[in-house]
Amino acid sequence: MTTAWRRLLRVCAGLSVVAALHAALNSRLLRRPPAVPGPVPRRVTVVVPARDEADQIEGCLAAVLDQRGVPDLRVVVVDDGSTDGTAERVMGVPDARVALLPATPPGPGWLGKPNACAQGAAAIDQASPDDVLVFLDADVRLMPDAIASAVAVLDESALDLVSPWPRQLTGSAAERLVQPLQQWLWATLLPLRLAERSPRPSLAAANGQFLVVRRAAYDRAGGHAAVRGEVIEDVALLRAVKAAGGRGVVVDGSTLAACRMYDGWPGVRDGYTKSLWSAVGGHPAAAAGVAAGLSAVWLLPPLAALTGSRAGLVGYAAGVANRAVVATRTGGRIWPDSLAHPVSIVLLDVLVARSVAGHRRGSLRWRGRTLPRAVDRRAASGAPSVG
């Protein structure tokens, strides 16, 4: 090894150790839901955007309607142009608390999910600033106290938005390698206590699978109209809430909800390819740069360890410990998955490269819709019309 290479390796190994310590600290600071939440004293409306979710929507609604401690609960399912019978499944649910809303197609400057969420929020009769909005994906299954617990965290911590991160269910090898990187990234890189107080847009992490927000904060931020062209609309919504003077952060949702986001490598590949180019402030070059930095810290030491390098072995061990700590705290699989962390980073690099290339070619698609290379955020104003 050259002297420069040894120095670089030591720096990368040292950063891996520091990151592991930071993840351990974040695991202690991560806000947790109460064991026994009290009843929610105000109206809660759950908005479920659904596009071709016939296989998921009934299970999702059954779990929502089974919520405890939410006496004033309403559910709006926004059928976003489904062709698989999703609407028929919703209409077959015998509960007056559930309303079906056929979505108006996205207008200029709007992407599908923000459009559906905005219409669901706009359709609520006699909306009050004291209301709570819950945005929930159809493939999420809530535990019986999930909503009451999430609202309790919202109130007890004086926050405007909380993102209870569901326990991520995985089946295939690809899912086990890639899915845990979601929690690992924010647990490793985001200072949680600072993030919930700071208005800085870079200090934000959220998961649109399960978002809980005060109606007043949502309206003050401009709602989903403010993030209408964002591929990663969940993080963008939290940033909008912060910019409007609100506070929000990711919280422990591993005991509140579960979700199998993708099924197998094709789902993982296509799901992340559509959005990773936008993961760092909407700048493809920044996403590629962050991927390169992650590779330096969590790939170079393991490679050096194969040659007998002590610094490399320390860096690899710290990466494994980091991954294991986060998995323990977020309900993920710990062993032997944590040992394969370098392989996870390689797959992340592949997905980022595919995403950036697809964005530049304008070939990205999701759920039958072509994603534009760039969205003109001035093309639409105000909330979309409700169909």
Side-chain angles (χ1 to χ4, degrees):
M1 290 186 185
T2 65
T3 301
W5 167 249
R6 289 191 183 95
R7 288 176 179 170
L8 175 62
L9 181 58
R10 291 193 192 102
V11 168
C12 291
L15 289 174
S16 182
V17 171
V18 171
L21 294 173
H22 184 249
L25 175 63
N26 264 345
S27 294
R28 294 181 62 85
L29 296 177
L30 182 65
R31 293 198 182 275
R32 299 168 173 82
V36 182
V40 179
R42 50 197 184 277
R43 181 169 64 172
V44 175
T45 301
V46 180
V47 177
V48 183
R51 181 173 173 84
D52 293 334
E53 297 285 4
D55 293 338
Q56 297 282 359
I57 194 65
E58 291 172 308
C60 175
L61 292 178
V64 172
L65 296 172
D66 195 37
Q67 291 299 292
R68 297 187 291 235
V70 191
D72 194 354
L73 173 69
R74 302 186 188 183
V75 186
V76 179
V77 180
V78 185
D79 182 27
D80 187 17
S82 300
T83 60
D84 67 345
T86 295
E88 289 77 8
R89 299 288 181 91
V90 176
M91 289 187 291
V93 176
D95 196 306
R97 293 175 293 176
V98 178
L100 174 67
L101 176 67
T104 299
W110 285 84
L111 293 182
K113 186 175 180 181
N115 177 67
C117 289
Q119 291 186 35
I124 300 168
D125 294 333
Q126 300 178 339
S128 167
D130 292 332
D131 290 355
V132 173
L133 285 170
V134 176
F135 294 95
L136 187 72
D137 283 357
D139 53 3
V140 175
R141 299 296 179 267
L142 298 181
M143 301 300 110
D145 292 318
I147 292 179
S149 295
V151 174
V153 176
L154 195 76
D155 291 342
E156 292 170 4
S157 303
L159 297 169
D160 296 285
L161 182 153
V162 293
S163 178
W165 208 286
R167 182 166 58 93
Q168 299 298 301
L169 305 179
T170 58
S172 67
E175 295 168 68
R176 289 171 59 181
L177 287 167
V178 175
Q179 287 300 94
L181 292 179
Q182 294 182 354
Q183 302 99 304
W184 174 79
L185 282 167
W186 56 256
T188 300
L189 303 178
L190 185 70
L192 289 177
R193 284 291 187 267
L194 177 61
E196 71 179 40
R197 296 190 300 270
S198 172
R200 291 181 62 86
S202 58
L203 296 177
N207 187 342
Q209 293 172 352
F210 184 19
L211 280 178
V212 182
V213 58
R214 300 182 191 277
R215 179 80 203 211
Y218 178 80
D219 290 341
R220 190 167 57 244
H224 277 86
V227 300
R228 54 187 168 271
E230 299 289 348
V231 178
I232 306 178
E233 89 295 331
D234 42 15
V235 176
L237 182 62
L238 174 55
R239 288 172 175 165
V241 168
K242 283 170 162 280
R247 301 173 61 207
V249 75
V250 62
V251 301
D252 179 20
S254 62
T255 62
L256 304 183
C259 177
R260 185 173 183 182
M261 190 173 178
Y262 301 121
D263 185 357
W265 170 246
V268 170
R269 178 196 62 207
D270 296 343
Y272 284 103
T273 294
K274 82 174 186 301
S275 59
L276 280 177
W277 67 267
S278 182
V280 186
H283 302 295
V290 168
L294 295 176
S295 297
V297 175
W298 284 283
L299 275 185
L300 291 184
L303 291 174
L306 295 175
T307 67
S309 166
R310 290 185 179 179
L313 184 59
V314 169
Y316 169 63
V320 170
N322 185 342
R323 178 75 168 262
V325 164
V326 175
T328 300
R329 191 65 201 89
T330 58
R333 191 191 301 259
I334 304 171
W335 309 112
D337 301 44
S338 298
L339 298 172
H341 187 58
V343 181
S344 297
I345 298 297
V346 170
L347 287 179
L348 178 63
D349 289 339
V350 171
L351 293 169
V352 170
R354 281 179 55 88
S355 184
V356 170
H359 173 68
R360 289 177 176 171
R361 292 193 302 265
S363 62
L364 298 180
R365 291 179 58 82
W366 184 246
R367 300 224 177 227
R369 289 173 173 151
T370 298
L371 301 179
R373 290 184 61 185
V375 174
D376 185 357
R377 290 168 174 78
R378 298 168 298 179
S381 61
S385 60
V386 177

